[in-house]
Structures are given as structure tokens and as C-alpha cells.
Amino acid sequence: MTGRPTSTPTVGIMGVGYMGIASALAFSHRGRRVFAYDVNPRVRASLRSGRSPYREEGLQELLQSEGRRGRFVVVDTVGELAESARCIFLCLPTPAGRGGRIHLAPLRAGARELGRALREVRGYRLVVVKSTVVPGTTESLVEPILRRASGKGPESLGVASNPEFLSEGRMVQDALYPERIVVGANDGRCFRMLAAVYRGFPAATRELSPSEAELVKYASNTFLALKVSFANEISRWTEALGGNVDDVVGALGADRRIGPSFLKAGPGFGGSCFEKDLRAFVGRAAQLGIRARAAEATLAINREQTDHVSDLISRTAGPLRGKSVAVLGVAFKAGTDDVRESRAFPIVEGLVHAGARVRVHDPAALANFRREWERRSGTTARSVKFSRSVVDCLRGADLAVLQAEWPEYLDWPARWSEAMRTPLVVDLRRALSPSAREGTGLRVVSLGVGRDGRRATLTPPKAATPRRP
Ligand code: UGA
């Protein structure tokens, strides 16, 4: 970044959810003094006592080590936050709202409250939107609210955008070692302050306008989700022709222009971000008179993948009425207790609807799944049992469905097969290796693998007489 160096600013975090806490601790780890505020007193109390309110790899340890260093401070009011921190990040939730739009009420209210608190503050402050917001939101919504509530102009209040790219299960690593830092602002002072805040982070910074920075976030998630949907589409080819989707996308991703990541076919993407962000992206595009066809197709393929999974299960197990089915892994992906938009919901719903008795297991997400399932399903709640152990889940089952690739499931011992009435698994992630199955009597049908792994015999096109060059 260019320009005059700025003394290290104190950092403020408003909203201590997963993203807020990971960012706060990463700034503290890099030597910044961080002040954090959350509206929920339980979250504040938990942070003060050194207990992470969220389950996330490495978070508890980092909270304790940063707590000992004394650079991470929890404050009780927005006023204290505005007074103590010079660069304040809005990390407030932007959940899915009506008609695919994002629900902006928490961000609006937070910006208003912070703006009012800033009215009393002397000296320059920078407010940075880290929440995921559709392109244009920082300038057209957040900035006007802040200016109105604070009565401050650009000479004493800067407003910028700085989207996050943290992935659940590896949020701490992603926050400490980002691959890129994307900042959007309209003046040099904001860029200089953000450069000082991010000093020491091992990543290059991209300086853009606020709406460009916001667009990078949506473009990133759309592109990643597109890769997943593309791999899922290819998995239908390998199923139809015979072959293994992993072999095909492995060769595909070996081309550096394409890259190997996010090409793992599975039950479709879940999680709190992809579906929500793509829907909001499509909606925002329509407002601007753009047709977001790539995002639309990505969502459509994802929906179809759920139907495809149901077909695969029925084709494998035959009529499901009265059968006992075990679903292993109900988190939206392995390594997290988060069940938001997990494909396990439509899969279990489909099984219950077809008359199966369903048992589910997950090493971390069972309680969250149960709570959400009971909230959604009301009367059908009794048709699903929640098992504390894998063996309990598999006992007497006619079929197991591996939905999330937890390491706990991959060393399949013989006694698991013995516990089942029929040792048959539909492996939606191709996670059970042939060696894990050896000697266990288990039959595995994998998504994306042509029947019995056999290659289809392709009828060669009626060959024209070969021509010599
Ligand atoms: C995603 C992005 O990866 C982050 O960069 C972004 O910051 C975050 O959304 C966000 O916007 O907050 P996350 O939702 O935690 O992170 O999870 P991912 O690891 O991206 O997985 C999303 C879904 O895609 C999961 O259901 C996963 O099983 C599925 N997936 C992912 C596949 O089916 N195949 C793949 O190859 C990769």
C-alpha cells in the first residue's frame, strides 16, 4: 500500500459471531489491541472467562493465549467500543431474508447505534463493513446511516469494506493466514489505516472501491459453488457411462488454469453461505438489470443433486417403506457442528416421506440437527431416531447413507457391518476406501461411480475411412 505510514490503530469488533471472534483474535495475534463488543451478554461473559462460545478448530486455544497477552478486551457498551477503537469492523450477521434477499435489520441497527456513539467521540474513526453484503450496500446503506447518526463527514469518519473469506472448520487458520486481503474504500486515509491494521499479515492486499470489494466476495462464493455444482454434474456422467468422478476431476483439476480444489462431487453444497449468497447475488443482479445465469445454474444443479441422491438411494435399496436406514453425518460438512442448509435435511425428509425408519448419527452436530429437525418437522419427529454411537445407528439397518465425511466413519470395522441387517452403504462422498471395506462384508455404492465401477462399452461412432494427413 502506498502513502504515509500510520501509527498502529486500535481495532474494534462489533458483533462477536464466528467471523467476529476469528478476526478479533487474528488481529490480536498480530499485535493489535482489540476491543470487542457483542449485544449478547452471555457471549461477552463467555469470552471474558476465556471460554469460546463457538466450536471451531483452534479457537479455544487462541482465545486463551490472546487473553493471557492482554491485547484482547471485551467491552460492555457500543460507547466504549467507539471511544477505545479507531478502526471498527462491523461483523454483524446478514442472514437470509425474504425472497432470497439478505436480512439487513441487524446491520442497520448496529450501524445506527455505532453512529450515535461516534457523535460523542473526538478524533478520526474508520468503520469497516466485514459482514457479507451485496455489492453497493456499504455506500448506499451503511455509510448514509453512519453519517446521519454521527453527524460526521469524511474528514472525521471513514467508511470502508473488507469482506472475509473464512471457511468453517478452518476459520482460525484462514483468519491468521489469509490468501488475500480485499479492501474497498474511496480515499487514501482509509487505505492507509487498513494497511496499518493488517500490518504483519502474510498476504497481499487488493485495494478496490467498496462495491468492487463486495463484488469479490459474491464472485468468490459463486465461483466456488459453481465448481462444486460442475463436479456434481460430471458425477452424473461417470455414473451413466461407468467410471469414477474423482479420476475424471482429478485429471481435470491437474490443469493449473482449472485447479484441483472444490471439485469434490457429493450430495450438493450446504452451509450458511453458498445458497444464501447465490440467491442474494441473483436478486441483486436482477435489480441492476443483469441476468446472473452462472449463479442460477449453480443453484439449480444443487437442487437437482438432492433429487439425484434420493434416486440413487431408492435404486440401491429398492422400495423404502418399512426399511431401516442409518444416515451417518448430518453436519453440512465434516469438521463442524453446523447444520445450516445441510443436505442431510432433504435426504432424511425424503427417506421419511418414502416410509423408511431413519436413524441419524454425527460426532458433533447431532444436537443441532435434532433441534432443527424437531422445529421443522413437527409430527414426523418420531420417525427419526438420534443415535449416540455409530453401532446404535447401524443396528438392524437395511442401508446406511454416508452424508458427511467424518474421519470417525472411514475405518469401517467388521462389527459395524455385522450390526446391520444388510451391510450396504450409499457413500455420497466416496470416502470409504477399498481397504476399509476389505473383509467387512460391506457393499458400497458410491455417488459418481458407474455401476460396480465397470466402464460402459462405448459404441464407437461409425468410422469414416481413416484419412491420411
Ligand atoms: C464458504 C467459502 O468456502 C468461504 O471462503 C467463505 O468465506 C464462506 O463460505 C462464507 O461466505 O462465509 P463454508 O460455507 O464454511 O465456506 O464451507 P465450504 O468448505 O466452502 O463448503 C460449502 C459446501 O460445499 C459444503 O456443503 C461442502 O461439503 C461442499 N463442497 C465443498 C463440496 O461438496 N465439494 C467441494 O469440493 C467443496
Side-chain angles (χ1 to χ4, degrees), residues 165-166 168 217 221 262-264 270 273 332-333 429:
F165 305 98
L166 311 178
E168 275 187 44
K217 170 71 190 183
N221 275 2
F262 273 73
L263 286 175
K264 181 93 183 159
C273 304
F332 83 90
K333 64 177 181 183
R429 308 266 182 178

